[in-house]
Structures are given as C-alpha cells and as structure tokens.
Amino acid sequence: MKRRLLVAAGVAAALTGVAACGSDSSDDNKSETKPGNTAPAAGNGKTVRVWLMKGTAPDDYIAAFKAKFEADHPGAKLDVQIQQWNGIGQKVTGALASNDAPDVIEAGNTQIAQYGASGGLKDLSSKVTELGGKDWLTGLSEPGKVDGKTYGIPFYAANRVVVYNKELFAKAGVTPPKTRAEWLETTKKLNSGDQQGIYLPGQNWYFYSGLLKDEGADLATKAGSSWKANLDGAPAVAASAFYKELQALGKGPKDSDEKTQPEVVAADGGKIAQFIAVPGEAETVIKANPALKDKFGFFPIPGKDASKPGAVLTGGSDLMIPEAAKNQDLAYDVIKQFNSDEWQTKLAQAIKFLPNKTTLSSALASDPGGMAMGEGAKNGFATPNSPNWASVEENNPIKAYLTKVMTGGDAAAAGKEANASIEKTLNTKN
C-alpha cells in the first residue's frame, strides 16, 4: 500500500535478535516479561534519522513525538524525513545496501517480504513480546515476518468497509446487512430506476480476495519451495460468482478498478446507495459534492454468516531497522515509542486509521467509519508473503481474471490463466 492504504492496500511489514538494539539476549528475555522496563538508550549527541511516508502523520503529531523522544533521550536529536511513495522501493533498496542507511524506515506491509529477503534488515523477533505482539492485527504482523523472523513492527492499518447512503437506506426501509445473503437482498431493494444499489467496479481485487478467503482459499499458497495460485478451484468460482451477482446490481464498469470511484460517487448526486472503500474516501466524495455531507454511514463487509464480518485485506505500514543503521539502540526506542498505546491512539485519531493492536479498538470510538473498519479488521489478512508479490500487483492478472468473469467468461478457465501468470512471477528466483 503505494500510497497510504494499499495504502499499501495496499501497505506494511516485519523484523530479529536485537542484541545490537541495546541489550544481550538475557536482557531481552527479562524485558519481554515486563514490557517497558528497559531504560532509554543514551543520546550522547547522536542524530536518529527516521523515514516516514508522506501522509502518514500530521506535522503536529511529528513535532510532539520528536519533543517527547528528545526529552527522554538527552543529547539525542530526532530527524524525521518525509518520503514520497513514488519510487520509494528503489530508494529503500539502495539504503539497505548502503553504509549510510536511516535508522528507522516506514514501509508498506506488502513490501516487507522483499526487503527482508534482501538481508538488509535487523531481526527484531526477540522484541515482539515486549512490544505486545500478541495483540497486533494479523494483517500487519504476518507480512512483517520472513522465514519465521520478524523484521517489520506494525505501525497503523486500514481496510475497506461498505459506505452507504443513510437516506436511501431509510427510504427503502432497509438496514445494514450482516450476511452475504442479506446484502444481496438489501441491494436488490435499493437498485431501482436511476438509483444504483451499489457502485462496484469489476476489478476490485482487494474485495475479491476477501470473498475468496471466506470461501476457504488464499490468492496463493506456498508448498515447500514453490507457490501455487488458487483462482481456479471451487472457492474461487464461488467467490467470483457472488462478486458478479453483487456487481450486476449497479452500473459500475466491468473493466476497471476503483481509482475513479470518488469522482463517480460525487458526480452521481446521491443516487448510489453503497460503495466499498476505506472510510476516508467518503470525505473525499463530500469535498467534491458538499450536498452529500452527513448522508454516509458505514458497516463492515458482510460475511457468509452473521458470526463474523467478511474477511478483509489489511493494508498499512510497518517500521523496520536497517542492518546498516548507525544508531540501532535509539532506533528501537523510536519504534517502542511509536508502538506505545499513547502514541498509537494519537496517530489513529489524527489520521482516522486503525492502531496496530486489537486492544486499542476504542481509539476511534467516536468515529463511525473507524469503528466499522476496526470490526472488519478482526477478520483481516495479508497478501501472500512473497518477495515477488509486489511484482504480481504491478501486472495484476487478478484484474483481468475478474473482468473475464464479470463479462460472462468461464471462471475456472479464466482462473487457470491467471494462476499461470501469478505462479510464474512468484516462483521466479531473484
């Protein structure tokens, strides 16, 4: 996640043994049983460089964070450098291979496997317990691991929800559904005349991957040393059939993704009953069409049954420490402060994205979109944890597969074609 969601939705990461981050292994074990008992690393006139991505945190948050860190580490200076998403992969790869890497780097969660496989990241596995890893969102913590070692510490998360027009729902006499079957029936009632029951482009592969997960399959799985894609089996056929039925209850294009969705919904003037998006996209729509102010509500993507919401692909960012970082002990203290409940809560409330722990679900209690997102995140998951997954997304055969299904093609045949492309990329040796 690429801009903030795909934002690295997609976007974030993972990190081991941190003798170099301030203590020996026995000290690590003691600190893990009593989180927060490790004394701050000494400042000693050092400058700690931190790369944060553009849009991650507002200036006042960064300023307050910097003031707190420097007060806790007399003599240290915190230099937060804002990076652009465009071209960041090459820039990070170069930094990891250099002798002058920043001390902390933020990365999208889908990028961590690639960076971890390069051998240029510090293994932070021994710090997971101290940082409260048992409560991390799965969709962020799993991508942070490579071969069982943790290189990326979850920073923040986001996932898609259903944004709905409260007025149109009220006029139709319907309420937010809890199951897929209810969702279809609700959407049929909302789909009348020039009103769309839902605006759903045919290539929203993020949404599709959640449907596939609910049917019991992942986009791709690893067996031994090889990857196998799963778009041709019964789970994929069932997932694409539901997608096709739902998509037909609106006028969304079958051959494009959701990039132009905010503009379409804004221009519609209030005749689109639902769309699938990160909650913040509703604000983008309202800015383009102020007449829609106060008309939107949010609910988690419905699941197959009412026991839990539908599975959602979790995007976001992780924090990592390069092996070449000169101040690894101070770098870990930066990550520890970012990971604390206080600073996680402040960040969530500032950017309206999810904190990294399930125990902080109340951070967005006053934000309906955030609450819906948090409920969905309980059933979150990540993209296949391969260094080559970013290359799959670049050419994304899943989009072509979905368009073929939406336009009447055979789902199993289209799935086999997509599988071949995905497997070729994932099984390419770097």
Side-chain angles (χ1 to χ4, degrees):
M1 220 186 216
K2 346 213 184 184
R3 57 192 173 107
R4 187 161 55 88
L5 167 60
L6 313 183
V7 134
V11 202
L15 317 171
T16 132
V18 191
C21 286
S23 61
D24 61 25
S25 59
S26 62
D27 287 339
D28 285 346
N29 291 334
K30 291 177 183 178
S31 67
E32 288 171 8
T33 60
K34 296 181 180 180
N37 71 344
T38 305
N44 297 334
K46 297 176 181 177
T47 296
V48 187
R49 288 190 295 150
V50 178
W51 284 5
L52 293 186
M53 301 309 302
K54 182 177 177 59
T56 285
D59 292 343
D60 56 351
Y61 176 93
I62 294 174
F65 185 94
K66 172 181 166 69
K68 171 63 174 172
F69 182 85
E70 292 179 352
D72 289 344
H73 300 79
K77 295 295 182 183
L78 191 65
D79 179 17
V80 178
Q81 302 173 354
I82 305 302
Q83 308 297 311
Q84 303 296 320
W85 284 105
N86 289 338
I88 190 60
Q90 184 175 358
K91 186 171 184 178
V92 171
T93 299
L96 296 181
S98 75
N99 293 319
D100 188 32
D103 298 295
V104 177
I105 299 176
E106 175 193 352
N109 62 343
T110 60
Q111 300 167 327
I112 301 303
Q114 177 183 353
Y115 300 146
S118 74
L121 293 181
K122 197 69 189 172
D123 176 359
L124 297 179
S125 301
S126 69
K127 297 300 186 182
V128 170
T129 300
E130 178 181 357
L131 294 173
K134 65 181 178 60
D135 297 319
W136 288 341
L137 296 174
T138 303
L140 285 184
S141 61
E142 287 305 308
K145 299 176 183 176
V146 179
D147 296 329
K149 296 179 179 180
T150 294
Y151 296 101
I153 302 302
F155 193 15
Y156 65 83
N159 52 263
R160 287 162 175 77
V161 301
V162 182
V163 185
Y164 73 100
N165 187 307
K166 294 182 288 186
E167 285 188 358
L168 299 184
F169 267 57
K171 288 179 182 178
V174 296
T175 57
K178 298 290 187 181
T179 69
R180 279 196 205 171
E182 292 173 0
W183 196 11
L184 286 174
E185 291 306 308
T186 295
T187 306
K188 289 174 184 176
K189 293 177 181 178
L190 292 161
N191 189 36
S192 61
D194 61 351
Q195 181 175 300
Q196 297 185 55
I198 188 168
Y199 178 83
L200 178 59
Q203 294 185 348
N204 189 335
W205 71 274
Y206 306 102
F207 171 55
Y208 170 76
S209 64
L211 299 177
L212 180 63
K213 187 76 170 180
D214 281 340
E215 294 294 342
D218 294 302
L219 293 170
T221 50
K222 192 174 185 180
S225 59
S226 298
W227 284 91
K228 180 185 181 303
N230 301 309
L231 299 186
D232 63 335
V237 171
S240 62
F242 177 83
Y243 191 129
K244 184 178 180 180
E245 186 174 2
L246 183 65
Q247 202 268 342
L249 297 174
K251 301 174 185 177
K254 294 176 170 56
D255 60 352
S256 64
D257 58 23
E258 71 276 25
K259 287 180 182 177
T260 61
Q261 183 169 270
E263 293 91 331
V264 173
V265 177
D268 174 81
K271 295 177 182 177
I272 290 175
Q274 308 169 83
F275 60 98
I276 297 168
V278 177
E281 193 166 302
E283 293 300 320
T284 302
V285 171
I286 291 168
K287 286 181 180 178
N289 186 349
L292 296 176
K293 181 176 173 58
D294 299 326
K295 291 189 177 182
F296 291 127
F298 311 85
F299 60 88
I301 292 174
K304 293 189 71 174
D305 59 60
S307 65
K308 60 182 179 180
V312 288
L313 187 63
T314 303
S317 285
D318 283 30
L319 298 169
M320 52 194 189
I321 299 175
E323 284 280 14
K326 293 181 171 59
N327 302 298
Q328 292 182 359
D329 50 355
L330 288 165
Y332 175 67
D333 280 2
V334 168
I335 288 178
K336 188 161 63 172
Q337 182 171 318
F338 273 130
N339 181 80
S340 69
D341 289 0
E342 176 187 0
W343 291 95
Q344 279 290 303
T345 298
K346 288 179 178 179
L347 183 63
Q349 293 173 346
I351 65 176
K352 304 301 183 186
F353 275 10
L354 298 174
N356 65 5
K357 302 185 187 76
T358 57
T359 51
L360 297 177
S361 58
S362 63
L364 296 175
S366 62
D367 177 30
M371 290 300 289
M373 190 163 55
E375 187 65 25
K378 294 177 182 178
N379 197 15
F381 65 97
T383 53
N385 195 7
S386 163
N388 294 342
W389 183 257
S391 297
V392 172
E393 289 190 25
E394 287 177 8
N395 195 27
N396 213 325
I398 307 169
K399 291 184 177 182
Y401 154 74
L402 287 171
T403 292
K404 288 178 181 177
V405 174
M406 296 304 113
T407 54
D410 180 77
K416 287 182 180 178
E417 185 177 352
N419 282 350
S421 177
I422 293 170
E423 290 169 2
K424 180 180 179 180
T425 301
L426 292 183
N427 291 316
T428 297
K429 303 299 182 183
N430 294 317

